[in-house]
Amino acid sequence: MPRAAGAVSPPIVQSSTFAADSAQEFTERALERRGSGFYTRYGNPNHAQVASVLADLEGAETAMVFASGMATITTAVLALVRSGDHVVAQQRHYGGVPSLLLNLLPKFGVHCTQVDQTDTEAFAAAMRPETRLVLVESPSNPLLDITDLRAVSALARDAGALTIADNTFATPVNSRPLAFGADLVWHSATKYLGGHSDLSAGVLAGPADVLDRVWDTAIITGAVLGPVDAWLLLRGLRTLPLRVRQHNSNGLALAHAMRAHPAVAAVHYPGLPDHPAHGVAAAQMDGYGGVVSVELAGGYDAADRFIDGLRLARRAASLGSVETLVVHPATMWQAILRPDQLGDAAMSPGLVRVSAGIEDTDDLVDDVIRSLDALPG
């Protein structure tokens, strides 16, 4: 995208529509997939610029941006399945994904089998002749389980299915699923990629021919990213490596500090050597991220008191921002899934997900330990 003369920061192209100089040019622009000069629902110069950067980060041929992470995965899945098809997905996903798979897709005659993501053979056993998609997320939300991306992608490929990997927690700084065989990678760019709690966005990256199919559906669903949010997303990407480095450092420091506290029953973090899949994580990640999930021995009340006692961290949904955000999954998941679907997703009542920001490491650890110390013995 051309920059204004002398402008260090690229301009925001706020126009909703773009003029053509001839009927032929108008037609060509209207038919161009992922274009940037016809109508903003079809594409915008800000979309094109940030999508190009995101494709490079993920090692993909091309990328598309959307209004949110859920808009991304919903549009992609609807574009790639039809009635009678089957989807395999791991049990532990961000709560909105099981809602899509279990509540929405059956209305269109598409069914899903969920499996234990830590068991590669469970993916193999779930495959059917009609399986078209395999959905994975590594590390998973909120327990930070690890999926063997190379093994699962190979199984899907042998079955004739596409693998879509959620890379929100890891970011392309820490992991690049396409390099391990995944066909498509998506993010809630609201999180680490944006990084400042001031935008809502999603991204899908992969081969152009597959994204062409998704684009045909995207212009119908209309989950378009606004030019300002696209510009903000590009702003966030400029500091992504620096931020992720501090997120990684803070996440690891918190994991080590909390696991030694008597109020803590368990810590879930793939960077810990005793994490059940630490070896797999080390093989496919360059860093372990800023999200740490901790189970408090005192259960639901202890989780609530712990969050209330924090001073630097804020009780809020979302993650991956410059500030530390803390949430109680057992409470949040109830707003997303039906009671009969909570099961494993609800996790233990004492589970707390901590998304470490980029604050000073010692200050952040002190804040967490002080709040843990204040819990009833």
Side-chain angles (χ1 to χ4, degrees):
M1 187 174 80
R3 298 190 180 190
V8 173
S9 181
I12 299 172
V13 181
Q14 192 63 40
S15 183
S16 62
T17 191
F18 301 86
D21 292 332
S22 68
Q24 179 178 351
E25 181 185 3
F26 185 85
T27 301
E28 290 173 353
R29 290 186 181 184
L31 296 176
E32 181 184 10
R33 289 184 172 93
R34 301 184 309 283
S36 60
F38 174 65
Y39 185 62
T40 285
R41 178 161 56 87
Y42 286 54
N44 174 284
N46 293 112
H47 296 170
Q49 186 173 40
V50 72
S52 176
V53 173
L54 290 163
D56 285 346
L57 286 172
E58 288 290 1
E61 183 178 2
T62 191
M64 294 174 58
V65 289
F66 296 81
S68 69
M70 281 308 302
T72 304
I73 190 60
T74 300
T75 303
V77 170
L78 290 177
L80 299 173
V81 297
R82 61 184 180 181
S83 181
D85 285 346
H86 176 248
V87 176
V88 176
Q90 60 190 55
Q91 290 173 336
R92 291 173 180 164
H93 267 290
Y94 165 68
V97 175
S99 187
L100 162 68
L101 300 176
L102 302 176
N103 297 341
L104 180 60
L105 289 188
K107 296 179 181 180
F108 300 97
V110 178
H111 298 283
C112 174
T113 300
Q114 292 184 295
V115 300
D116 178 357
Q117 76 184 89
T118 65
D119 182 1
T120 300
E121 292 306 313
F123 284 92
M127 298 293 181
R128 303 177 187 173
E130 64 271 24
T131 301
R132 296 293 174 264
L133 296 178
V134 176
L135 271 60
V136 296
E137 177 186 7
S138 186
S140 68
N141 187 1
L143 284 185
L144 295 113
D145 286 319
I146 300 296
T147 306
D148 189 330
L149 297 174
R150 192 184 300 280
V152 173
S153 297
L155 285 172
R157 189 179 309 109
D158 290 345
L162 296 175
T163 300
I164 306 180
D166 182 348
N167 201 31
T168 299
F169 268 39
T171 82
V173 176
N174 286 335
S175 182
R176 292 156 296 283
L178 300 184
F180 295 93
D183 298 287
L184 297 166
V185 60
W186 72 282
H187 293 259
S188 172
T190 310
K191 280 63 171 189
Y192 285 107
L193 299 187
H196 292 77
S197 296
D198 58 7
L199 67 91
S200 172
V203 58
L204 181 72
D209 61 334
V210 180
L211 264 67
D212 283 349
R213 296 165 60 189
V214 176
W215 185 87
D216 289 338
T217 298
I219 61 170
I220 297 171
T221 59
V224 60
L225 183 64
V228 174
D229 278 351
W231 184 89
L232 286 171
L233 178 54
L234 184 64
R235 181 278 320 265
L237 293 176
R238 294 191 189 104
T239 60
L240 181 65
L242 297 174
R243 288 187 288 105
V244 170
R245 186 182 309 152
Q246 184 68 7
H247 288 304
N248 289 345
S249 178
N250 281 348
L252 186 61
L254 284 176
H256 280 294
M258 288 191 291
R259 72 188 302 210
H261 198 281
V264 172
V267 172
H268 305 275
Y269 186 73
L272 293 175
D274 59 356
H275 186 282
H278 176 70
V280 178
Q284 63 189 33
M285 299 182 75
D286 298 321
Y288 302 104
V291 178
V292 184
S293 284
V294 55
E295 294 188 50
L296 298 179
Y300 192 100
D301 289 341
D304 197 46
R305 289 183 181 217
F306 168 67
I307 297 173
D308 281 345
L310 295 169
R311 295 174 182 170
L312 285 179
R314 305 294 301 275
R315 185 196 297 263
S318 200
L319 56 98
S321 298
V322 293
E323 62 279 320
T324 296
L325 300 177
V326 184
V327 76
H328 188 201
T331 299
M332 184 169 68
W333 259 239
Q334 293 178 49
I336 300 174
L337 298 173
R338 299 195 313 258
D340 63 305
Q341 295 171 345
L342 283 170
D344 185 67
M347 310 304 165
S348 73
L351 185 74
V352 175
R353 188 188 71 194
V354 180
S355 172
I358 62 170
E359 299 93 344
D360 177 82
T361 302
D362 290 341
D363 288 347
L364 188 55
V365 169
D366 287 348
D367 187 39
V368 167
I369 296 303
R370 182 193 49 75
S371 187
L372 289 173
D373 286 344
L375 294 177

